[in-house]
Amino acid sequence: MPSNPESILKDLEGNKFAPIYFLQGEEPYFIDKITDFIENHALPPQDRGFNQTIVYGKDSSMESILTHAKRFPMMAERQLVIVKEAQYLQDLTREKGVQQLLSYLQNPLPSTILVFAYKYKILDGRKALAKELGKKAVLVKSDKIQEYKLGPYIEKYIKSKGFTIEPRACQVIAESIGNNMEVLTNEIDKMLINFDEPVQIDSAHIQKYIGISKDYNNFELTKSLSYKDVNKANTIIRYFSQNPRSHPIIPILYLLYTHFTRLLLLKTNQSRSDNELAGLLKVNPYFVKEYITAGKNYPLGKIIDIIGYLREADLRSKGVTGNNLEESQILKELIFKILH
């Protein structure tokens, strides 16, 4: 069974290295992070000249890779062989290449660390290679982090750096940047280097160091709609229309669709406790009060209508229906329909 990337990183940080790693999945961030850690820590700098081999899948064969792997280290405890962009290694789709790797899996050289960085896809779990890798190697599956899990991930990531973050600020980052993990972590890291000692991150910090307005962002838009704050919602939409490149319509529509489908779910589960609702809606308990208020402000029939408006706006934004309106016009009309 594939291992969790974070558990593997924890083992590596504890200097626990395995003979074979096969890193696969749609999210390249964790594959790169594990690969980079092994590359930078498996061997001391003085041993890398003779004992570190990095090849690329497009330019390699399984035979040449395993020839490197079967070589004994020179004047060192171990050697490292990394296959980057292994998704382009043709031999992983050919019987001969697969059999060669299967054979090596039965008796890997203990003094070699062999790493396959297989990005954007996964092996067929029904086939022998995936099954054997699961038994004889460290098989890692790097999945995209789902949108509703971004908040907890950001909070945990910032905590690992010695900082804390307010729930509201955490949600602003999640909903403004999304689940591109490389961009997300880079923006957080760039913000944190501005502090000499740990602090609690708030919306003002995010505006100052990341450039996301604390007053005009996707989170504030959904909040204004929840509380039916007409003036604030329209002010935010006007701000978005003046900065269209920073606020494209598709992510906004996706966020609003998620918001109102959660309200639909809340409407059929109003007897549950706040903690139960937080788990059901997949939100931080901090935000349950907002959803309860929104549930009071929007009758069930209106919520169903709004979901229809969102689908219509999505089609219009893609040019399927409508008169080729600008995104700002589509958003203004949508917000009017939601609030009135």
Side-chain angles (χ1 to χ4, degrees):
M1 183 175 179
S3 300
N4 180 286
E6 291 178 331
S7 67
I8 299 307
L9 281 165
K10 188 174 181 180
D11 285 344
L12 293 172
E13 288 166 359
N15 202 34
K16 297 177 182 177
F17 292 91
I20 305 172
Y21 292 86
F22 197 95
L23 316 174
Q24 62 175 349
E26 294 181 4
E27 178 51 72
Y29 171 76
F30 296 109
I31 295 174
D32 287 337
K33 193 169 184 179
I34 293 172
T35 304
D36 291 345
F37 189 94
I38 294 174
E39 183 177 343
N40 293 322
H41 295 87
L43 303 178
Q46 66 269 21
D47 290 346
R48 293 173 191 168
F50 291 109
N51 295 294
Q52 181 170 286
T53 303
I54 298 176
V55 299
Y56 290 83
K58 188 176 181 181
D59 305 318
S60 304
S61 68
M62 188 63 72
E63 184 176 1
S64 65
I65 292 165
L66 296 180
T67 297
H68 288 301
K70 293 173 183 177
R71 180 170 60 94
F72 288 97
M74 293 182 63
M75 298 176 289
E77 179 184 351
R78 58 193 174 201
Q79 67 151 342
L80 173 63
V81 179
I82 299 177
V83 185
K84 295 188 176 182
E85 298 180 3
Q87 68 273 18
Y88 298 120
L89 179 59
Q90 292 297 315
D91 280 347
L92 283 173
T93 61
R94 295 169 179 161
E95 183 64 22
K96 181 180 178 181
V98 170
Q99 289 303 320
Q100 288 172 329
L101 182 52
L102 284 170
S103 177
Y104 182 76
L105 284 170
Q106 305 313 309
N107 189 28
L109 194 64
S111 57
T112 292
I113 299 172
L114 174 60
V115 182
F116 290 90
Y118 190 82
K119 296 181 182 179
Y120 310 113
K121 57 172 77 173
I122 61 171
L123 296 174
D124 188 337
R126 299 167 297 179
K127 294 188 176 180
L129 181 57
K131 290 178 180 178
E132 284 301 297
L133 284 167
K135 296 175 185 176
K136 304 289 178 64
V138 176
L139 178 62
V140 178
K141 187 180 179 187
S142 177
D143 291 323
K144 286 281 187 184
I145 293 183
Q146 296 178 354
E147 299 286 346
Y148 74 89
K149 293 182 178 179
L150 272 181
Y153 179 85
I154 292 167
E155 185 177 6
K156 185 177 180 181
Y157 183 81
I158 287 177
K159 188 176 180 180
S160 74
K161 304 287 186 179
F163 294 77
T164 58
I165 184 168
E166 292 180 351
R168 180 175 179 271
C170 187
Q171 197 73 3
V172 168
I173 293 177
E175 295 182 354
S176 299
I177 297 179
N179 67 345
N180 183 320
M181 299 308 297
E182 184 176 0
V183 174
L184 180 67
T185 53
N186 282 344
E187 291 296 331
I188 293 172
D189 289 344
K190 284 192 296 184
M191 174 177 62
L192 297 183
I193 62 173
N194 291 282
F195 301 99
D196 296 326
E197 57 185 30
V199 299
Q200 183 175 49
I201 303 300
D202 59 26
S203 298
H205 294 135
I206 293 168
Q207 177 167 337
K208 183 176 181 179
Y209 297 115
I210 298 181
I212 302 170
S213 170
K214 65 184 180 68
D215 297 313
Y216 307 114
N217 55 65
N218 293 345
F219 171 77
E220 291 297 329
L221 175 61
T222 58
K223 184 178 178 182
S224 67
L225 294 176
S226 292
Y227 290 96
K228 281 207 163 182
D229 188 334
V230 176
N231 288 334
K232 186 170 184 180
N234 287 327
T235 300
I236 293 171
I237 290 301
R238 282 197 296 272
Y239 178 84
F240 284 1
S241 67
Q242 293 165 4
N243 302 272
R245 290 188 178 181
S246 300
H247 302 281
I249 191 170
I250 296 301
I252 296 172
L253 294 178
Y254 175 80
L255 179 64
L256 293 178
Y257 180 80
T258 301
H259 186 73
F260 282 99
T261 51
R262 282 175 177 160
L263 283 187
L264 194 60
L265 191 58
L266 179 139
K267 280 291 190 180
T268 57
N269 292 274
Q270 295 184 72
S271 61
R272 300 202 182 196
S273 69
D274 286 5
N275 284 335
E276 287 175 330
L277 285 173
L280 184 68
L281 302 179
K282 298 177 180 177
V283 299
N284 188 311
Y286 177 88
F287 298 107
V288 170
K289 182 181 177 182
E290 177 190 328
Y291 280 95
I292 291 174
T293 301
K296 294 176 182 177
N297 285 333
Y298 293 91
L300 179 60
K302 179 65 174 178
I303 295 172
I304 293 171
D305 287 343
I306 288 170
I307 291 173
Y309 300 152
L310 286 163
R311 288 173 175 160
E312 179 187 8
D314 180 56
L315 291 174
R316 295 174 78 180
S317 71
K318 296 170 181 173
V320 177
T321 61
N323 299 315
N324 295 321
L325 291 176
E326 291 184 359
E327 290 186 358
S328 60
Q329 289 300 114
I330 296 171
L331 268 180
K332 286 177 183 177
E333 185 177 323
L334 172 65
I335 298 305
F336 179 86
K337 287 180 177 179
I338 290 173
L339 290 170
H340 299 88

